[in-house]
Amino acid sequence: MYTVLGCLFQQHDLILVAAAAAMCIFACGTAQAMSLRARTYQGRAQLLWLLGAGSVAGAGIWATHFVAMLAYQPGLPMRYDVALTILSAMIAIAIPALGSVISVTRAGGALGGMVFGAGVLSMHYVGMAALQMPAVIVWNSGMVAGSVIVGVSLGGMAGHVAMLPASWVNSVSSAGLRIAAIIGAHFTAMASLTAIPMNQSLPQGGASFSPAIIAFLVMVMAAFVVGQALIVAMVDRHLKSKSERAAMQMRAYIAELEETKNSLEKASSAAEVASKSKSAFLASMSHELRTPLNAILGFSETMMSEALGPLGTPRYKDYLTDVHNSGRHLLELINDILDIARLDAGQAELDETIFSPAEKIQDVVRMMSAQALKAKVTLVADLPPNLPLLTADRRRVRQILLHLVSNALKFTGPGGTVTVRAWADDAFMFQVSDTGIGMSRQDFSKAMEPFGQIDSSLARKYEGTGLGLPLTRQLTELHGGTLALESELGTGTTVTVTLPKWRMAQMETGKAA
């Protein structure tokens, strides 16, 4: 180490040494940048980038070597053999280029780096052979071996690091190791040389230039070559980055189009389902409308023909009752449809008054008792004393209760029970529970859809339009409340309507204002 440092500081022009070091750093940094660009390509393009990286590195290394040789000052006149100097330049370009290509093969970066170091050493010793001076050259075999070890080992390490995952740390480390290999091998080799002067002079002839001028010209030419390569690498990186951004934007646009396509497909499927629901509703409604209308028309025709005698016959009164009930049923269906339409359009309004919910529940139970008796179902009201009065739309609350009790009776078999409860706490609660057929949890959402039937066969077995629960929920929400559904298949269903506390007018029973 001391021998190398002594050679460096005592036998070299340090300004030219600094210039050689700057060129080495510039060349190695540019070669590293080109190697990184090579990673972004495959096949022939990658091979061309690697050859370019090796060639640029070689040109810069040769300039580094030549300027460093010009910095050498043994105190003797010197000149260079042109043929050997040109050969050293060719070696400097060819062998490092070969090492760059080897680095991406199965042989690996370490072997490629060792070939790179061997190329640097070959170039150096051929270049030194081109040196002519009136002296006997004596080589220190230990220092020569040291230069080989430094160049090959550090070059191998640089090649290995260069093939690690791309990062600024690995890039700087690889370039630093390569610079150390070049400069270390050069000055170790220079320290191995001892020139013993001879009493003779170099042949005269040809133009003579100072080492500084020659170094300047070499530096300018090498810097131009390496600089052009660096510009090409930077422009390529910019263009490829721009291309990748454009490709990313295109992929995002395609993904957006795909998402739009999926949304359209979902909307189309939803529209198809809605169309099927509409068709099912129309089929169900035609049945619902036809049944009371047939009764109306049938009984009316019988009365018109007086088939059973004059209109004074008592049985006609029963027929008139059936006509009235069928007409009322038809009117209720039409009103439900109109209510759903108004609620969906946001046009429904509440006619709020203060009334007794207990009386309203008792009225509904009495009204539905005939239907319960016919279905052989027990219908009961379980009401606590002192229920508060409500501020709400009396007709809409009655409509809610009628729908819930009617549904419960419809789906409860003979011998079953339907119970209507109400209580007040932090809110006012209506609850209608039955011991009927119930439903599974996955059918809840369908039961809440307008015109929905959990099973299309139910539309025939149990008359109805599927408007009851959806309309009840919308009327509840119109009052600021919520509707909760609990059910278990084969056990029964419980529907709870919760109205906000501010709708309770007072906490003791009394007549509605």
Side-chain angles (χ1 to χ4, degrees), residues 86-108:
I86 294 174
L87 177 61
S88 69
M90 294 174 63
I91 292 172
I93 293 173
I95 297 181
L98 177 62
S100 295
V101 174
I102 291 174
S103 295
V104 296
T105 65
R106 291 184 179 180

Side-chain angles (χ1 to χ4, degrees), residues 156-167:
M157 292 171 63
H160 172 72
V161 174
M163 291 297 103
L164 295 177
S167 69

Side-chain angles (χ1 to χ4, degrees), residues 162-452:
M163 291 297 103
L164 295 177
S167 69
W168 70 268
V169 174
N170 290 339
S171 295
V172 171
S173 300
S174 176
L177 287 168
R178 191 165 291 174
I179 293 167
I182 296 165
I183 294 177
H186 176 89
F187 287 106
T188 303
M190 293 301 297
S192 69
L193 178 152
T194 301
I196 301 175
M198 296 176 60
N199 189 19
Q200 64 181 38
S201 60
L202 292 174
Q204 299 295 319
S208 178
F209 298 95
S210 71
I213 294 176
I214 298 175
F216 175 77
L217 294 175
V218 170
M219 288 284 290
V220 168
M221 289 187 292
F224 177 79
V225 172
V226 176
Q228 292 299 308
L230 181 60
I231 290 171
V232 170
M234 294 175 64
V235 169
D236 179 78
R237 179 180 178 181
H238 171 73
L239 293 177
K240 191 150 191 182
S241 176
K242 187 176 180 180
S243 174
E244 288 173 352
R245 287 196 300 271
M248 187 179 299
Q249 291 173 351
M250 181 60 69
R251 286 194 294 270
Y253 179 68
I254 292 173
E256 185 177 349
L257 288 179
E258 188 68 23
E259 185 177 350
T260 302
K261 176 187 172 185
N262 293 337
S263 298
L264 289 174
E265 288 176 351
K266 289 179 181 177
S268 176
S269 299
E272 185 177 351
V273 170
S275 177
K276 290 180 179 179
S277 297
K278 180 193 70 175
S279 300
F281 164 67
L282 291 176
S284 177
M285 281 303 300
S286 64
H287 172 76
E288 289 293 318
L289 294 173
R290 192 184 305 115
T291 301
L293 284 175
N294 284 338
I296 292 171
L297 293 174
F299 291 131
S300 298
E301 288 175 0
T302 301
M303 293 173 65
M304 289 173 62
S305 64
E306 297 186 353
L308 298 177
L311 288 178
T313 303
R315 290 184 61 187
Y316 283 132
K317 292 183 179 180
D318 295 334
Y319 292 161
L320 285 172
T321 300
D322 291 336
V323 170
H324 174 73
N325 290 338
S326 296
R328 186 174 64 180
H329 177 58
L330 181 59
L331 180 61
E332 288 174 352
L333 292 178
I334 294 171
N335 285 337
D336 283 350
I337 295 171
L338 292 176
D339 282 341
I340 281 286
R342 290 193 188 99
L343 288 165
D344 286 341
Q347 298 175 352
E349 296 181 357
L350 296 178
D351 181 16
E352 297 186 5
T353 59
I354 299 176
F355 62 93
S356 168
E359 292 179 4
K360 189 59 63 181
I361 292 171
Q362 294 290 0
D363 289 345
V364 169
V365 169
R366 281 194 298 270
M367 187 181 304
M368 302 301 294
S369 59
Q371 182 178 334
L373 185 62
K374 184 178 179 180
K376 299 179 182 179
V377 174
T378 302
L379 175 60
V380 296
D382 181 10
L383 304 175
N386 301 323
L387 271 179
L389 300 179
L390 280 182
T391 301
D393 189 320
R394 186 193 306 259
R395 185 176 70 86
R396 297 299 192 185
V397 171
R398 175 180 176 275
Q399 198 173 358
I400 289 171
L401 290 167
L402 281 173
H403 278 305
L404 294 180
V405 174
S406 177
N407 261 3
L409 291 173
K410 185 193 306 181
F411 295 106
T412 302
T417 302
V418 173
T419 305
V420 184
R421 298 181 179 87
W423 67 93
D425 193 0
D426 290 335
F428 190 91
M429 309 281 196
F430 292 113
Q431 188 179 82
V432 177
S433 57
D434 63 63
T435 58
I437 62 174
M439 70 182 81
S440 59
R441 181 166 293 276
Q442 57 264 32
D443 290 328
F444 284 10
S445 59
K446 191 170 184 181
M448 288 295 182
E449 294 175 3
F451 319 125

